[in-house]
């Protein structure tokens, strides 16, 4: 794999803008399709358990191919993987809209999840490959703005297209039509990503990594100092985002908060995350990566736990805005942590392992939250998330600073790599 920064186009970052635009449409399509799939399942007679299984298939199916895809990306171009991801997302959305059975719907949902995984692995690898070490935090932060914009717009578009027909699950006819329409529109939105995939990556293939780098085992990557911390921080932040989205409506129902207000609160959280990523670079310069990551995870943990308190809506809005800002730090910095820590020639594989951890979290966190909520009430999952983020803060404090080492435990990093990664201005903490 080409070392970070060697593949950059002189004097321009247009490739990053095009990648952000493509990611915005791809993520927006997925964020639109996932709730539409649930409505489609309801129209086919699904109960809560069936919807849970369909949701799990989306996250579980890609787990079996994440590492092989990362291996392939370490030694080849990334744009073909992005294109394959767009095709799978678009096809999965369209075929979900025409599915006539729950089994078919689950299968096409899994195809959509596989496409999303392909796109994200390829896109993150391009950022790691084309960004100089001193620019990785900034570029990963800007890259994730595309995801935040998609997550902000997708559910709103799905809700408008489905037109609030969830209450007609028993009749099924109108909901089947509107959910199919939402899924077909999502397929079209994903296809728009193709228009931004040109000139994202040089046409020439990267120089092949040494053969011994191609055989870096997964166990060695996971034992590399900094990689477990990056994976766990990413898992904790994504779990908090997913469970917050799922359980805030339940909290609103219990406290008499209107669904429209809950939607605005979730949008406020997403907007705060985007704002955070726009000012990522000056925050890193002020505090340093390790301190920033630790403080935001710790503060995010307390804010998550605070949602369990019966506070007024205005206070809840302030807490969610602050929480969204804190959660905006974890994903891009965990990407940089993993990239800088990973052995040479295995960075895409390490990013794939990070995404594998994310998918495991997407399965385990909602399941655990459901069990906790069933025993202790709907507010209890937020206490669980608070503890998870506090644990991530502790792990980040111990290990995130070690990401610059970039070598497996017990093996020194090459001198050139160590010099490029230990940039004092970026690791002031």
């Amino acid at each position: 794999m080409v070392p970070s920064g060697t593949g950059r186009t002189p004097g321009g970052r247009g490739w990053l803008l095009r990648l952000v635009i493509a990611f915005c449409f791809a993520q927006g399509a997925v964020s639109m399709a996932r709730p539409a799939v649930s409505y489609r399942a309801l129209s086919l007679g699904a109960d809560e358990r069936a919807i849970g299984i369909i949701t799990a298939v989306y996250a579980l199916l890609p787990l079996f191919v994440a590492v092989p895809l990362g291996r392939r990306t370490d030694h080849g171009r990334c744009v073909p993987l992005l294109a394959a991801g767009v095709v799978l997302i678009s096809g999965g959305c369209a075929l979900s809209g025409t599915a006539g059975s729950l089994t078919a719907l689950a299968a096409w949902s899994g195809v959509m999840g596989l496409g999303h995984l392909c796109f994200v692995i390829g896109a993150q690898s391009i950022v790691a490959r084309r960004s100089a070490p001193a620019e990785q935090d900034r570029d990963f932060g800007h890259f994730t703005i595309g995801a935040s914009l998609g997550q902000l717009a997708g559910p709103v578009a799905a809700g408008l297209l489905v037109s609030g027909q969830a209450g007609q699950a028993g009749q099924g006819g109108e909901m089947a039509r509107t959910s199919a329409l939402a899924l077909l529109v999502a397929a079209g939105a994903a296809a728009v990503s193709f228009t931004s995939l040109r000139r994202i990556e040089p046409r020439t293939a990267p120089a092949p990594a040494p053969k011994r780098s191609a055989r870096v085992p997964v166990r060695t990557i996971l034992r590399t100092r900094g990689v477990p911390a990056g994976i766990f921080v990413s898992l904790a932040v994504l779990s908090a985002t997913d469970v917050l989205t799922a359980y805030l409506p339940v909290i609103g129902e219990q406290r008499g908060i209107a669904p429209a207000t809950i939607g605005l609160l979730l949008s406020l959280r997403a907007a705060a995350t985007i704002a955070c990523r726009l000012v990522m670079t000056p925050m890193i310069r002020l505090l340093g990566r390790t301190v920033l990551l630790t403080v935001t995870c710790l503060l995010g943990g307390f804010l998550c736990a605070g949602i369990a308190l019966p506070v007024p809506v205005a206070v809840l809005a302030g807490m969610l805005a602050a929480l969204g800002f804190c959660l905006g730090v974890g994903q891009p910095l965990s990407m940089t942590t993993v990239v800088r820590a990973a052995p040479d020639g295995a960075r895409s594989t390490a990013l794939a392992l990070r995404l594998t951890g994310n998918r495991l979290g997407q399965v385990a966190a909602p399941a655990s939250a459901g069990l906790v909520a069933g025993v202790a009430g709907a507010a209890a999952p937020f206490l669980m998330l608070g503890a998870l983020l506090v644990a991530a803060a502790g792990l980040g404090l111990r290990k995130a600073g070690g990401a610059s080492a970039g070598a497996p435990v017990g093996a020194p990093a090459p001198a050139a790599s160590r010099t490029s990664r230990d940039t004092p201005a970026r690791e002031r903490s």
Side-chain angles (χ1 to χ4, degrees), residues 110-156:
V111 169
M112 180 172 58
L114 179 60
H116 185 258
L117 181 76
C118 290
F119 190 96
V120 173
I121 289 177
Q124 290 182 5
S125 298
I126 288 176
V127 177
R129 186 175 292 174
R130 301 202 64 181
S131 301
E135 298 173 348
Q136 285 177 345
D137 289 317
R138 180 198 65 188
D139 287 354
F140 274 121
H142 290 172
F143 164 71
T144 53
I145 289 175
S148 298
L149 289 172
Q151 291 167 353
L152 180 63
V156 174

Side-chain angles (χ1 to χ4, degrees), residues 243 247 250-251 254 308 364-388:
V243 174
Y247 278 88
V250 181
I251 290 289
Q254 292 182 350
S368 301
L371 292 175
V372 171
V375 173
F382 295 101
L383 298 175
M384 179 192 76
L385 292 175
L388 187 65

